[in-house]
Amino acid sequence: DENRVVVGSSDISMPFDRSAGGQTCEQLVGIHFTDIDIANGASISDAFLTFDVDETNSRCDVESVDECAATASAPVTLKIRADASDNAATLVEERADLSIRPKTRAEVVWSPDPWTTEHALKRTPDISSVLQEVVNRPGWREGGSLLVLLAKVSGDGSRIAETQFAATPSLT
């Protein structure tokens, strides 16, 4: 279903979800962080998202292991932005909840290497420019919420991160 929103998944498939009944679904991924301890207008020197690798080119949770292994190794480029709001609303399972939100102009492009080791921690490039745009908003307040968005730019690969039993994704 196009523009369907799923909240609370046990993993994050960036950008393709291949477990939906054998179908491949390109998705916009949203990660909601609360109680952000950054004051309005504070200077952010660096910031990163860290993910715990869930599926690799040798371990997959879907029926088509060969396809999964190929996509875990295939190139993919993702664009990282944020919800351009003073205090990002909680994700809801409403059609197009992520796609209709205003996005930051700042963006960071990430081309993660193939994920080959389960539970390895993988970090994005510096996303401070994206966060800086949000905390510079006149209505931003310390303790607010932030929604980080990841979307496909190019490639047929996918990277799948754990969320259920890990302390990731994390924002540092």
Side-chain angles (χ1 to χ4, degrees), residues 55-165:
E55 295 182 16
T56 67
N57 57 357
S58 62
R59 191 191 89 55
C60 299
D61 290 339
V62 295
E63 293 175 14
S64 177
V65 174
D66 291 339
E67 180 184 351
C68 175
T71 60
S73 295
V76 65
T77 300
L78 305 167
K79 174 174 40 180
I80 304 170
R81 298 169 80 186
D83 180 353
S85 67
D86 296 337
N87 188 27
T90 303
L91 297 172
V92 293
E93 292 190 2
E94 290 182 10
R95 187 174 184 80
D97 179 47
L98 292 176
S99 59
I100 63 172
R101 293 181 187 220
K103 317 293 187 287
T104 56
R105 288 190 177 129
E107 65 183 43
V108 172
V109 174
W110 178 35
S111 298
D113 291 332
W115 288 6
T116 58
T117 305
E118 187 177 1
H119 297 300
L121 297 180
K122 298 294 182 173
R123 192 168 86 166
T124 65
D126 182 7
I127 62 168
S128 59
S129 62
V130 174
L131 271 59
Q132 191 70 64
E133 183 175 331
V134 174
V135 303
N136 283 351
R137 294 177 58 84
W140 171 262
R141 297 292 173 258
E142 186 172 349
S145 294
L146 173 75
L147 176 63
V148 177
L149 302 161
L150 295 98
K152 176 187 169 190
V153 174
S154 64
D156 293 324
S158 197
R159 304 298 182 263
I160 301 176
E162 178 72 58
T163 61
Q164 191 169 16
F165 304 109

Side-chain angles (χ1 to χ4, degrees), residues 11-23:
D11 61 25
I12 299 172
S13 300
M14 302 174 286
F16 296 109
D17 182 2
R18 288 183 163 79
S19 63
Q23 297 178 347

